[in-house]
Amino acid sequence: MVDDIYQAMVTSITDGDSEAAEALARRAIAEGIDPLDAINKGFVVGIQQVGEAFGCGQAFLPDLVLAGEAMKAAVAVLDPELASRGQQRETAGDVVLGTVKGDIHDIGKMLVGTMLSASGFQVHDLGVDVPPERFAHKAREVKAAIVGVSALLSTTMSNQRLVIEALDDLGLRSQVKVMVGGAPVTRTWAETIEADGFAEDAIRAVVEARRLVGSNA
Ligand code: B12
């Protein structure tokens, strides 16, 4: 039953079970299930459920991390299959993502990246401790629609402003939307540094990213 496998996919993500998620992705391919359906009707539903549970205090950080890893394991199996069928997921836009210089926190950024990529954005994750110029050069290289900048320390938040200045220096500021986030970051801070967008969690980051690229998808 196809519905049963979709439900099992949802559960593999809500359980944070990477092995099960990967096995289900392989099973979907073996059984001829459309990989796009496996992502959208199965795994994405699971990560959305975990995100919502986290938002209302029913799931916790380890649940999010494990769910994110399980999601990545499934998508890693399905993405090449999509490509070989010439059936790419619709790309909502390219997003350059990273944690600011001086900051090595990456769990929240990883979740934002996973959710954006599960929602159709092409994510270029630069990692942690990323100098402002690297964000800007990558944005130019991939013609990014959005640059997403994470900061978890009150001492590194100000480096988000430096990323905006680096985009300005390359003459890219009018072409790229900047979205900021991280535990100490607020909408007021985002407005102060003239970022275009802000989100307090990975689910809202997808809504915000869609708003920034003008897509209702
Ligand atoms: C795990 C953790 C670490 C781990 C990081 C591991 C890793 N791989 O990421 C380790 C142990 C390495 C670490 C180190 C340090 N940490 Co630390 N760490 C944390 C902790 C406990 C959890 C952070 C986390 O992962 N949260 C869970 C994720 C899911 O939430 P999130 O990161 O906020 O991300 C969500 C949103 O913010 C948003 N978001 C995040 N990024 C982005 C980006 C965009 C574009 C958007 C739209 C949204 C968005 O969406 C995410 C998903 O929902 C926090 C406490 C806390 N409650 O935040 C302290 C905390 C952030 N750390 C803190 C400190 C002080 C440090 C250290 C300086 C400690 C030390 N003395 O060495 C070092 C700094 C090292 C460095 N240079 O970066 C302080 C920061 C205080 C401050 N305001 O400045 C905190 C708040 C702890 C505290 N209460 O004191 N830390």
Side-chain angles (χ1 to χ4, degrees):
M1 293 288 286
V2 172
D3 283 350
D4 289 346
I5 192 170
Y6 289 147
Q7 185 50 50
M9 289 168 176
V10 173
T11 307
S12 72
I13 302 301
T14 54
D15 285 352
D17 186 342
S18 290
E19 276 180 26
E22 194 179 326
L24 284 161
R26 294 195 192 287
R27 202 179 122 200
I29 293 169
E31 293 184 9
I33 291 174
D34 186 332
L36 204 54
D37 281 346
I39 291 177
N40 291 332
K41 296 183 185 170
F43 300 114
V44 167
V45 177
I47 195 99
Q48 281 170 344
Q49 286 183 6
V50 177
E52 280 157 22
F54 183 74
C56 59
Q58 287 165 357
F60 302 97
L61 175 59
D63 305 310
L64 272 185
V65 173
L66 289 174
E69 283 171 2
M71 183 79 202
K72 279 189 171 178
V75 171
V77 172
L78 293 167
D79 254 350
E81 181 67 14
L82 285 174
S84 72
R85 292 181 177 209
Q87 178 199 16
Q88 291 287 2
R89 275 186 288 159
E90 190 188 338
T91 301
D94 283 60
V95 179
V96 169
L97 189 62
T99 302
V100 287
K101 187 163 179 51
D103 197 325
I104 61 164
H105 294 87
D106 74 345
I107 296 169
K109 169 187 66 63
M110 184 196 84
L111 288 169
V112 170
T114 301
M115 286 304 301
L116 287 174
S117 121
S119 308
F121 288 88
Q122 181 75 40
V123 176
H124 308 267
D125 190 339
L126 301 179
V128 297
D129 192 20
V130 182
E133 305 74 32
R134 247 192 101 214
F135 281 96
H137 284 109
K138 190 70 182 178
R140 182 168 63 186
E141 180 195 325
V142 303
K143 298 187 172 57
I146 298 174
V147 171
V149 193
S150 183
L152 263 287
L153 300 170
S154 40
T155 49
T156 59
M157 274 167 74
S158 54
N159 292 339
Q160 292 181 324
R161 191 201 295 269
L162 299 185
V163 174
I164 294 176
E165 287 173 12
L167 287 167
D168 220 354
D169 289 346
L170 289 191
L172 295 174
R173 186 63 190 100
S174 61
Q175 299 152 43
V176 184
K177 303 290 185 192
V178 176
M179 179 165 77
V180 293
V185 177
T186 60
R187 188 166 293 283
T188 306
W189 169 251
E191 284 165 8
T192 304
I193 63 171
E194 297 181 358
D196 305 290
F198 157 76
E200 57 198 17
D201 61 43
I203 305 289
R204 292 189 181 93
V206 173
V207 176
E208 187 72 335
R210 285 178 174 154
R211 181 184 74 79
L212 291 174
V213 298
S215 151
N216 297 316

